[in-house]
Amino acid sequence: MTKNILVTGGAGYIGSHTVVELIQHGFNPIVLDNFSNSRPSVIDSLEEITQQKIISVTGDCRDAAVYDLIFSKYKIDAVIHFAADKAVGESVQNPLKYFDNNLNGLMVLLAAMERHDVKHLVFSSSCTVYGNPDNVYVDENSPLKSPESPYGFTKLVGEQMLDNMVRHGKKMRVVLLRYFNPIGAHPSALIGERPQGIPNNLLPYITQTALGIRAELSVFGNDYDTIDGTCVRDYIHVCDVADAHVSALTLLSASPDSCIEAINIGTGKGTSVLEIIRIFERETGVSLNWKFAPRREGDVPEIYAKADKALHTLNWKATYSVSDAVKHAWEWEKKTQN
Ligand code: NAD
Ligand code: WQD
């Protein structure tokens, strides 16, 4: 029987790619999004890619009535909870916005799941919960650090709330996926990352600079104790991230009644900012205008995932290279700005 999966934030960057994977694996996704950081036209693009009608509900994750409507209409087997605000800088300016959307939103969802007896949840977490790690190659047992931003705090507290519920006997099956640095776009170039205003993240800043939308890329810091002085991250193709959610649903189906697992979603390899620039120039043939700039406050010098647990528990590993991801991000950017 086809499983119905509620995908909150399913029109967003990672959510939309996950909807494609879900359909390709025979699931029936039901998207819930308020389009605060995405456009309704994403749903049309999803229909074009999958050649299938997408069930989409416009609504807010903090609205209990929306869940009652969805859970009563469809027999939901599991929820993938992407919906959240994610701009680190904005969260410093306006922490309450983040506590409300990311934490209150999670609580309203959990209460609705309890009312409607839905027990399987995949929660979008982040490598931000490791803060600035003592060992840069982090596994899931690495200590969780005090987050650098209110955004990071909401991910840590979200994880802890879920852990607390399960530890105190709530019959829920939860997978916490800790994404590292998702980049790239769908190979069709029909969906991808679409930041509002000036991008904070490296890849959209690079592609917008290459197109002339931004004058110059600032490389934040060149004196870190890393391979070339610039920060190192574990960049992972968004389609690989999306695929991990399908594997997480399979794991939930085979898990004990009450369980919670945190799993890193990364490639296990680190790439520096200068290496990303070189890969971009090589893959696209476009020469990038960039300069060194002072360090960005709160940046972790180096972090990447130990991804063995994902392989063992999810039978998942990254299949795309960073070069593929950079190429796909470029194809998407060119198409979107046309
Ligand atoms: P995104 O902003 O592209 O997608 C989030 C979607 O949720 C958007 O479509 C937005 O409109 C929707 N949304 C937000 N608040 C909502 C609400 N109250 N009700 C309904 N819909 C709402 O972000 P993304 O990059 O796809 O991230 C998805 C999840 O993954 C987030 O929880 C984010 O914190 C987490 N995450 C992202 C990254 C990353 O680098 N992109 C890394 C680690 C974790
Ligand atoms: C990557 C590297 C920058 C822009 C953020 C969130 C984190 C997680 C992933 C959600 C860093 C450098 C960037 C620029 C640059 N999201 N950079 N010039 O900081 O690893 O993580 O996204 O959970 O919580 O903080 O990603 O893409 O912003 O930066 O030199 O214009 O690129 O200094 O070294 P980051 P990023």
Side-chain angles (χ1 to χ4, degrees):
M1 201 178 62
T2 307
K3 289 196 165 167
N4 293 328
I5 313 297
L6 173 61
V7 187
T8 75
Y13 176 43
I14 305 172
S16 57
H17 291 79
T18 302
V19 167
V20 173
E21 288 293 331
L22 286 170
I23 289 176
Q24 284 170 353
H25 286 82
F27 291 93
N28 183 35
I30 290 110
V31 171
L32 170 62
D33 208 298
N34 65 0
F35 301 107
S36 56
N37 198 36
S38 54
R39 298 170 183 213
S41 60
V42 169
I43 304 297
D44 302 327
S45 303
L46 289 173
E47 291 184 344
E48 193 175 337
I49 295 171
T50 62
Q51 291 295 300
Q52 201 168 303
K53 179 97 192 104
I54 305 287
I55 304 170
S56 164
V57 178
T58 303
D60 197 290
C61 283
R62 291 156 293 184
D63 180 358
V66 174
Y67 291 115
D68 288 340
L69 197 130
I70 295 172
F71 287 127
S72 309
K73 185 158 178 197
Y74 306 97
K75 192 208 148 292
I76 299 291
D77 295 285
V79 180
I80 306 179
H81 187 49
F82 291 108
D85 289 321
K86 62 163 185 178
V88 173
E90 184 193 47
S91 79
V92 174
Q93 300 304 317
N94 194 354
L96 287 177
K97 178 179 180 205
Y98 281 71
F99 300 163
D100 179 36
N101 203 23
N102 298 7
L103 292 176
N104 185 25
L106 177 61
M107 284 194 282
V108 176
L109 166 66
L110 290 172
M113 288 174 68
E114 189 165 277
R115 278 198 305 285
H116 294 272
D117 208 27
V118 177
K119 296 184 183 305
H120 294 192
L121 175 68
V122 182
F123 177 70
S124 290
S125 189
S126 164
C127 65
T128 189
V129 297
Y130 297 117
N132 190 357
D134 303 324
N135 182 347
V136 297
Y137 191 33
V138 289
D139 69 20
E140 291 80 356
N141 295 319
S142 303
L144 303 184
K145 296 271 188 77
S146 178
E148 295 283 343
S149 69
Y151 163 75
F153 173 80
T154 65
K155 289 294 158 186
L156 184 63
V157 173
E159 282 200 6
Q160 288 172 341
M161 271 165 42
L162 291 164
D163 185 65
N164 210 267
M165 286 174 75
V166 172
R167 251 185 313 123
H168 293 293
K170 194 56 71 193
K171 292 229 176 327
M172 283 181 74
R173 305 178 189 189
V174 183
V175 171
L176 311 168
L177 293 183
R178 293 179 180 154
Y179 319 139
F180 278 65
N181 286 65
I183 59 167
H186 194 265
S188 66
L190 287 168
I191 52 172
E193 188 170 14
R194 197 161 195 162
Q196 288 178 0
I198 301 172
N200 295 307
N201 295 117
L202 180 62
L203 244 292
Y205 209 104
I206 287 180
T207 51
Q208 290 197 10
T209 305
L211 271 186
I213 301 165
R214 311 282 153 211
E216 191 172 47
L217 169 76
S218 293
V219 174
F220 299 136
N222 62 356
D223 56 354
Y224 287 103
D225 184 15
T226 59
I227 177 176
D228 56 19
T230 65
C231 291
V232 172
R233 295 287 182 274
D234 188 336
Y235 297 96
I236 174 157
H237 197 296
V238 65
C239 290
D240 280 328
V241 177
D243 185 45
H245 293 78
V246 175
S247 307
L249 292 175
T250 309
L251 175 66
L252 286 174
S253 297
S255 294
D257 275 357
S258 197
C259 64
I260 181 161
E261 290 291 345
I263 304 175
N264 285 345
I265 299 301
T267 65
K269 291 190 211 81
T271 310
S272 75
V273 177
L274 289 184
E275 285 171 330
I276 290 282
I277 293 173
R278 250 178 262 127
I279 292 170
F280 179 83
E281 291 187 330
R282 188 190 66 216
E283 293 298 328
T284 64
V286 179
S287 134
L288 199 70
N289 202 11
W290 67 271
K291 63 160 197 281
F292 283 123
R295 291 180 175 198
R296 185 172 71 174
E297 207 190 316
D299 262 343
V300 168
E302 183 164 14
I303 183 168
Y304 41 98
K306 201 163 190 312
D308 302 30
K309 187 172 177 185
L311 183 61
H312 296 136
T313 58
L314 299 178
N315 194 24
W316 172 95
K317 65 175 192 258
T319 57
Y320 288 99
S321 65
V322 172
S323 304
D324 295 330
V326 166
K327 252 184 310 194
H328 292 154
W330 178 234
E331 292 309 318
W332 158 251
E333 189 73 66
K334 282 190 295 184
K335 198 158 173 182
T336 349
Q337 302 299 341
N338 273 336

